[in-house]
Amino acid sequence: MPAQTSLLNEEAEIVAPGVISTAEAEEVKLAERPDGLQQVWGAVGRSGRGRLDLWERHRAADGQWSPPARLAINGSGEDFDPAFSPDGTRLYFHSDRPGGKGGTDIYVSKRLGAFGFNPPRNLGPSVNSAGDEWAPWPLANGKLLFASDGWGGAGKHDLFMGDPANPEGPRNFGPAVNGPLSEFDPTLSTDGKTLLFSRGLYGPTGEDFAVWRSEIVGGEWREARPVAIGCGSYTIGLAFLPDGDFSFSSRCPSAETGTMVIMRMSRDGLDSAS
């Protein structure tokens, strides 16, 4: 089972209390545009909706942030796990909207104007399966990391490296990273050397997910090890941010803003937790 973790209070802080992290909903996974002008995140139950939606706020010319709003590209069902491409021109996410390959699929939407997005495009059968694909993490070379339970592997959700242009399908990260539990929410450091992800188990008596870390050495991923980040035993929504910070979501019963909040910390704080 995943290691229990404790919140590093001296390192991590809640992101925009009452604005992004609210008492009314559970907010998960922060995506920031590289130019710092837009933030997108996932929310469960915000504004009375019982579904998983994408929300955003953006910074105007006067430096003020807009009020949070649902993205127009949300469908009628589940839309979640946002991530900007490294150049900020595309937003990736997963969705169970009609027309997919099965379960939840990964989609991409090009930016439209300053802060809007074009209608999303399904990434197709080189990435999406009849199962559930979650949590895309796009790379500068057009490939992406993601989690799936539809491409086989060690059990439940595994982590994969995919290329929409490769008809042979994605590559499993292998036993150093994937095991019999669920691995998902991968995020890769800018230099491509550090992989973090959530690993755990959905069960009849509760959910238990912790953060794990692996480094690539000599072209191979080292055996993953747990990282002491989060509060309690449920930490997901991981993201390396463009400014060098690291973001995650954790269920913090004592947090005034709600049970699942988005937090951020410096890369130095992350490294000291490993």
Side-chain angles (χ1 to χ4, degrees):
M1 293 295 293
Q4 297 292 311
T5 56
S6 59
L7 180 64
L8 301 174
N9 291 301
E10 70 276 13
E11 298 290 354
E13 61 181 19
I14 296 174
V15 173
V19 179
I20 290 179
S21 297
T22 67
E24 67 173 303
E26 292 191 320
E27 281 83 19
V28 181
K29 195 170 185 182
L30 179 66
E32 286 190 338
R33 234 167 67 182
D35 61 10
L37 296 181
Q38 189 171 28
Q39 296 173 316
V40 180
W41 65 94
V44 185
R46 189 158 178 154
S47 295
R49 289 176 53 84
R51 301 187 182 279
L52 288 71
D53 287 330
L54 299 175
W55 285 69
E56 72 91 29
R57 68 172 186 166
H58 52 266
R59 189 150 40 195
D62 61 2
Q64 298 298 308
W65 285 99
S66 66
R70 288 182 67 244
L71 287 184
I73 58 173
N74 279 298
S76 59
E78 174 179 334
D79 298 279
F80 217 58
D81 284 339
F84 279 105
S85 60
D87 64 2
T89 63
R90 292 171 172 80
L91 182 72
Y92 291 76
F93 61 96
H94 80 240
S95 177
D96 65 354
R97 63 188 60 208
K101 305 300 178 183
T104 53
D105 283 4
I106 295 175
Y107 288 78
V108 62
S109 180
K110 291 184 178 181
R111 264 178 46 202
L112 177 65
F115 304 113
F117 296 95
N118 280 292
R121 173 178 62 85
N122 188 294
L123 288 189
S126 294
V127 170
N128 293 313
S129 70
D132 288 322
E133 280 70 46
W134 295 345
W137 186 260
L139 307 179
N141 62 6
K143 298 180 180 181
L144 71 158
L145 316 182
F146 63 96
S148 174
D149 64 0
W151 287 101
K156 306 186 188 324
H157 273 78
D158 274 10
L159 299 188
F160 291 84
M161 175 78 77
D163 183 347
N166 185 355
E168 295 182 1
R171 177 180 58 83
N172 191 290
F173 266 79
V177 170
N178 291 315
L181 302 180
S182 289
E183 286 84 23
F184 63 97
D185 282 1
T187 182
L188 190 66
S189 60
T190 304
D191 62 11
K193 296 180 179 180
T194 302
L195 171 72
L196 280 96
F197 59 94
S198 291
R199 171 186 285 169
L201 181 69
Y202 292 104
T205 60
E207 300 162 326
D208 188 0
F209 290 99
V211 180
W212 290 70
R213 174 174 180 158
S214 177
E215 282 84 23
I216 193 165
V217 178
E220 300 291 335
W221 290 102
R222 285 187 170 179
E223 191 73 24
R225 63 187 189 276
V227 182
I229 292 175
C231 38
S233 59
Y234 196 90
T235 301
I236 59 175
L238 315 181
F240 281 106
L241 301 177
D243 65 358
D245 280 0
F246 176 74
S247 177
F248 60 93
S249 298
S250 201
R251 281 193 174 149
C252 305
S254 62
E256 296 179 359
T257 51
T259 57
M260 175 71 82
V261 295
I262 296 176
M263 308 192 78
R264 73 188 300 158
M265 64 194 305
S266 70
R267 177 64 191 264
D268 288 343
L270 169 64
D271 290 339
S272 67
S274 300

